[in-house]
Amino acid sequence: MTMPVELTRSASPLVKVPDVDRPLVSFVMVAYGTSRIIERCLDALVRSVAGIDAEYIVVDNAHPTHGHRTASRLALSTAGIRVLRPRRNLGFAGGNELGVLHARGELLCFVNPDLLPSPGWFAPVLATLREHPDAIVAPRLVN
């Protein structure tokens, strides 16, 4: 399923992502009626991988009462986030699949919107993937 990708362009973004033509990694996140926590997640994620060419894709599954609240919130508070708004709730797996279909990165990283990564977490993941290019790597979750 392909659909238009919206690139957020807030005039006063809380989170700003530089546009890259050939990202090393595509971070894919699925939202479903998600509120402010996704902004905190994106802020922490962008800061934690500073210096890495990355793109950030948010699939905002349609919520029965909140619609596309997450996409609307991100449009007002971020710049450079790639947002997809499927007409119906594709679920977690379907949302991730849609995000992957639009990913341009050499590597894929699936992120839950409540993740608050620490600086430096991505370097060992990247080193492992470079050493074992066919591997699937997951960082250790703390707290």
Side-chain angles (χ1 to χ4, degrees):
M1 169 192 300
T2 60
M3 65 180 38
V5 176
E6 300 171 27
L7 189 64
T8 61
R9 301 179 194 281
S10 172
S12 302
L14 300 173
V15 179
K16 185 175 182 178
V17 176
D19 189 29
V20 294
D21 291 329
R22 298 180 65 189
L24 171 65
V25 61
S26 296
F27 291 100
V28 177
M29 188 179 305
V30 175
Y32 181 66
T34 307
S35 62
R36 293 179 50 172
I37 194 163
I38 197 165
E39 294 161 333
R40 290 180 38 215
C41 172
L42 285 165
D43 182 50
L45 186 59
V46 169
R47 290 176 191 271
S48 75
V49 296
I52 301 284
D53 285 342
E55 70 176 347
Y56 304 82
I57 301 168
V58 175
V59 178
D60 186 15
N61 275 324
H63 189 278
T65 58
H66 300 300
H68 290 286
R69 172 172 69 180
T70 302
S72 297
R73 174 179 286 285
L74 293 177
L76 294 171
S77 65
T78 67
I81 304 296
R82 295 164 49 91
V83 178
L84 298 161
R85 297 183 195 218
R87 291 184 196 168
R88 62 183 176 85
N89 179 6
L90 302 176
F92 183 72
N96 276 309
E97 184 177 356
L98 180 61
V100 168
L101 289 173
H102 291 275
R104 302 173 299 151
E106 178 184 329
L107 304 172
L108 289 168
C109 183
F110 298 99
V111 178
N112 285 342
D114 60 349
L115 177 71
L116 296 174
S118 300
W121 74 274
F122 193 66
V125 170
L126 185 56
T128 301
L129 286 171
R130 286 191 168 142
E131 188 175 331
H132 306 283
D134 295 330
I136 294 175
V137 179
R140 179 176 30 172
L141 298 177
V142 180
N143 295 330

